[in-house]
Amino acid sequence: MPTLTTYQTRILPEWVDYNGHLRDAYYLLIFSYATDALMDHLGMDSQNREASGHSLFTLELHLNYLHEVKLDAQVEVRTQIIGHDAKRLHLYHSLHLVGGDKELAGNEQMLLHVDLAGPRSAPFTEQTLGKLKALLTEQSDLSPPAYIGRVIALPPAR
């Protein structure tokens, strides 16, 4: 199975900067909407969050800007599950022109399943774990994304 397409949108005028490019913050907005869509796909939609009192919180993310995205471009986010444990989900979103192969931006995220009453970490439900395992199995033939596990640093001084 290919990565899961989680979100599609057109680049709006208010998202574009003085250079005619998508502003930095709006890349993350698009990826955030893709995370919401993934939560829906996993059965963690707004009704479930209200009923269970559980949600996902972002612990860490890395965002790589790879190519320009311009006004009115039709883009889509493709999501790959990298791994999970009982409480955490490691995922990767890639931004593409709709139907295109070139990765325009990449976003690695570590999410934590949370009981909102605390808030404190909580194990995923068996239903959610089942869906995560199924999605990970479906994507098992995908290569690891090139932009995961990166660290920001200057090269060593010579």
Side-chain angles (χ1 to χ4, degrees), residues 135-157:
L135 190 52
L136 193 58
T137 298
E138 290 171 4
Q139 295 182 340
S140 64
D141 60 336
L142 295 175
S143 299
Y147 293 95
I148 61 169
R150 294 174 56 97
V151 175
I152 296 175
L154 293 172

Side-chain angles (χ1 to χ4, degrees), residues 66-80:
L66 305 173
H67 296 283
E68 299 171 347
V69 178
K70 298 193 177 197
L71 177 64
D72 289 328
Q74 295 287 336
V75 296
E76 65 186 13
V77 176
R78 300 174 192 161
T79 302
Q80 182 175 349

Side-chain angles (χ1 to χ4, degrees), residues 4-5 7-8 13 25 37 64 66 75 83-84 88-91 109 123-124 130 137 141:
L4 175 69
T5 299
Y7 187 69
Q8 291 186 349
N64 290 280
L66 305 173
V75 296
H84 68 85
R88 292 174 297 180
L89 172 59
H90 184 194
L91 63 85
Q109 296 187 13
F124 288 111
T137 298
D141 60 336

Side-chain angles (χ1 to χ4, degrees), residues 53-56 85-88 112-116 119-125:
H54 292 179
S55 188
L56 288 176
D85 62 16
K87 298 179 182 181
R88 292 174 297 180
L112 179 67
H113 189 246
V114 172
D115 178 344
L116 298 172
R120 62 184 173 277
S121 66
F124 288 111
T125 65

Side-chain angles (χ1 to χ4, degrees), residues 37-53:
L38 176 65
M39 289 176 66
D40 291 350
H41 182 81
L42 295 173
M44 299 178 67
D45 57 18
S46 60
Q47 289 179 344
N48 175 278
R49 285 189 300 275
E50 190 173 311
S52 69

Side-chain angles (χ1 to χ4, degrees), residues 3 9 12 23 29 31 38 69-71 100-101 110 136 142 154:
T3 53
T9 191
L12 303 174
R23 288 183 175 276
L29 177 73
F31 288 132
L38 176 65
V69 178
K70 298 193 177 197
L71 177 64
D101 289 328
M110 183 66 71
L136 193 58
L142 295 175
L154 293 172

